[in-house]
Amino acid sequence: MRTIVSLPGDGIGRVVLDETIRVLNAAGFKAEYVEGDIGWEFWKKEGEALPQRTIDLLEKHKIALFGAITSKPKDEAFEELAPEFKEKGLIYASPIVKLRQHFNLDICARPCKSYDGNPLNFIRRAADGSVEEPPVDVVIFRQNTEGLYGGVEWTNPSEQVHDAFMTHPRFVKNFGSTPKEDVSISTRIFTRKATERIVRAAFEHAKNYGYKSVTVAEKPNVIRETSGMMYKMAQQMQAADYPEIELWNTNIDAQMMWLTKNPETYGVIVAGNMFGDIISDGFAGLIGGLGFACSAQMNPETGVAVFEPTHGSAPKYADYDTSIVNPIAMVESACMMLDHIDEKVIAAKIRKAVAKVIKDSKVQTYDMKKVPGKPDVIEKGAASTQQMADAIIAEL
Ligand code: NAI
Ligand code: MG
């Protein structure tokens, strides 16, 4: 039997994960779950949001289902720390970023596929004035460890750093006369290895799941070095290994416009860390938003992979007696896990059950009802988190 590390985290993380495990059990997925500690509580109590014992668990079992965590700004984080750790001057670091870095989970995949009958689906006016609902089926491959989120940044950089920048003629021309105290710099570093891995993952996915195109959504005409490297690599890879797949090149800004004009045109999209983050939220908005947006973070070399909804811990709903949040994003993330560990039949079974529940539109969480999230939504006919899971289980 397989062992899955369950990482509920904070807030609504636990309820969506518990309900998802119920769905997995009902679908016949045989596994044992071991819980790993992660999140705000452990920061407060132990001064570490991702304790070593959790890293060890994942090291051993490799596959994790993750709910969500709470993060707060530096000062607030320090304020809530147990007194004995305050003296040590600990600084809060996001456990998700730490997980990504420790296990080099550099491949992030975020599928955005619309379900028939989801009232949250994007609709558009057709030429004849009628309303059309374009089917969206896009998978975004986001480089997960480098680029603008790589953390190499300065405000008032040291002389040494400033001197290095002064060797670049553009820096001299545009920023050379600004006192260095008035300069903040964030870098966008791409390495060949990580870029190759994300582009390869995108093509492999297109090939394995029958998508006809891979789109590089960057800005190679302006960000020539990093975006340029990714696009050039994609061109070479396509020519050498994937001639049957079309390679498209869009600029990130134009892509954000095209996404509401013709979202049905796109298949697999690949981008660096920040642009991938932005595009995946954009497409998620077309298929129902945070209640539906799932993701995987993987290291193809070691096989370590973490599957999670893209939403956060939604603190304002965390303490409801009856939870009202939509568990589908977490259930979909678990389906990605099943695909990953070659339990594709069970994954397909669960997706079919989810599709049926959505299409029948009898059981809908508050977001699908388009009402503000308040405790009274259940009285008003919205399904609770548990009722949504029950409906999926009933279809199974
Ligand atoms: P959030 O995603 O927790 O919530 C934003 C809003 O989206 C909620 O108020 C709610 O209306 C809605 N929402 C979220 N999940 C939903 C679901 N399953 N069903 C229905 N509606 C849902 O983001 P927010 O409020 O910006 O952040 C709250 C905390 O979560 C912060 O501490 C933040 O740092 C953390 N966070 C953690 C993430 C993670 O664990 N991967 C990702 C994003 C935020
Ligand atoms: Mg995001």
Side-chain angles (χ1 to χ4, degrees):
M1 196 158 50
R2 229 172 219 290
T3 303
I4 307 290
V5 180
S6 72
L7 304 170
D10 303 303
I12 63 163
R14 182 171 294 275
V15 65
V16 293
L17 185 49
D18 283 351
E19 294 304 327
T20 295
I21 291 174
R22 255 186 350 109
V23 171
L24 287 168
N25 289 337
F29 176 55
K30 300 266 178 288
E32 181 186 42
Y33 298 88
V34 290
E35 185 169 323
D37 297 334
I38 189 169
W40 199 247
E41 203 186 313
F42 302 97
W43 160 252
K44 289 201 296 189
K45 277 198 313 215
E46 302 176 22
E48 178 53 69
L50 179 66
Q52 182 61 40
R53 57 185 181 278
T54 306
I55 293 179
D56 295 343
L57 264 186
L58 197 49
E59 205 87 66
K60 183 166 169 210
H61 302 296
K62 302 221 176 331
I63 305 289
L65 282 174
F66 174 40
I69 51 98
T70 297
S71 275
K72 295 185 189 177
K74 217 160 97 180
D75 296 346
E76 254 177 273
F78 186 74
E79 213 37 58
E80 294 190 28
L81 196 55
E84 64 266 37
F85 296 112
K86 280 198 174 142
E87 292 144 29
K88 289 192 183 164
L90 298 182
I91 294 174
Y92 176 78
S94 160
I96 305 180
V97 174
K98 208 174 150 188
L99 259 185
R100 277 179 202 156
Q101 284 166 353
H102 181 90
F103 291 102
N104 191 26
L105 305 174
D106 63 329
I107 309 293
C108 175
R110 293 185 166 181
C112 295
K113 189 171 191 303
S114 47
Y115 276 109
D116 223 14
N118 185 349
L120 297 169
N121 283 346
F122 170 69
I123 55 170
R124 173 180 71 194
R125 186 75 65 192
D128 64 3
S130 65
V131 166
E132 34 181 41
E133 193 174 307
V136 178
D137 182 1
V138 164
V139 188
I140 293 101
F141 279 80
R142 161 192 176 192
Q143 206 296 324
N144 214 25
T145 48
E146 304 190 332
L148 253 179
Y149 299 171
V152 183
E153 318 186 274
W154 304 267
T155 290
N156 186 13
S158 69
E159 284 298 343
Q160 206 183 8
V161 170
H162 193 260
D163 286 352
F165 275 95
M166 287 297 277
T167 64
H168 198 295
R170 281 265 168 74
F171 189 88
V172 176
K173 182 162 174 273
N174 296 331
F175 310 104
S177 60
T178 307
K180 75 180 189 58
E181 299 76 39
D182 293 339
V183 175
S184 290
I185 301 171
S186 300
T187 62
R188 188 177 199 264
I189 300 172
F190 281 28
T191 63
R192 289 196 70 80
K193 184 175 177 198
T195 307
E196 145 104 46
R197 273 158 67 111
I198 193 71
V199 175
R200 175 77 62 195
F203 275 112
E204 280 296 304
H205 192 85
K207 187 172 115 182
N208 293 338
Y209 290 87
Y211 289 92
K212 75 174 200 306
S213 65
V214 169
T215 302
V216 177
E218 278 280 328
K219 188 105 183 174
N221 57 335
V222 177
I223 316 176
R224 291 169 192 277
E225 302 306 326
T226 46
S227 294
M229 175 167 80
M230 181 177 278
Y231 183 53
K232 198 163 164 203
M233 210 174 250
Q235 284 177 305
Q236 287 164 350
M237 209 181 279
Q238 189 261 353
D241 301 329
Y242 307 96
E244 73 286 6
I245 297 168
E246 290 176 37
L247 172 64
W248 300 345
N249 175 29
T250 58
N251 285 337
I252 175 66
D253 47 346
Q255 180 68 66
M256 294 311 286
M257 173 190 63
W258 291 119
L259 119 134
T260 48
K261 281 190 144 336
N262 60 350
E264 70 274 41
T265 313
Y266 298 96
V268 173
I269 296 182
V270 60
N273 205 340
M274 186 198 200
F275 294 163
D277 196 12
I278 294 172
I279 309 166
S280 56
D281 273 16
F283 272 99
L286 306 180
I287 58 122
L290 290 174
F292 293 86
C294 55
S295 81
Q297 310 188 59
M298 306 168 277
N299 179 333
E301 254 161 23
T302 60
V304 174
V306 178
F307 300 85
E308 55 162 323
T310 66
H311 64 71
S313 59
K316 65 179 180 189
Y317 303 140
D319 298 325
Y320 279 28
D321 289 335
T322 304
S323 172
I324 64 166
V325 295
N326 191 343
I328 292 177
M330 182 82 239
V331 171
E332 281 287 332
S333 304
C335 289
M336 294 183 81
M337 173 192 79
L338 293 171
D339 281 343
H340 181 80
I341 59 178
D342 226 12
E343 294 279 6
K344 294 195 172 67
V345 175
I346 302 179
K349 206 163 112 182
I350 296 175
R351 288 193 179 108
K352 202 173 147 204
V354 172
K356 181 80 170 37
V357 171
I358 294 173
K359 184 144 201 203
D360 285 351
S361 43
K362 285 200 240 30
V363 181
Q364 296 179 323
T365 43
Y366 84 92
D367 51 330
M368 299 170 77
K369 292 268 184 217
K370 306 190 187 200
V371 294
K374 302 250 170 62
D376 66 357
V377 297
I378 307 282
E379 286 158 39
K380 290 184 171 156
S384 66
T385 311
Q386 191 187 340
Q387 284 169 332
M388 178 53 91
D390 284 342
I392 297 167
I393 290 167
E395 281 306 329
L396 286 167

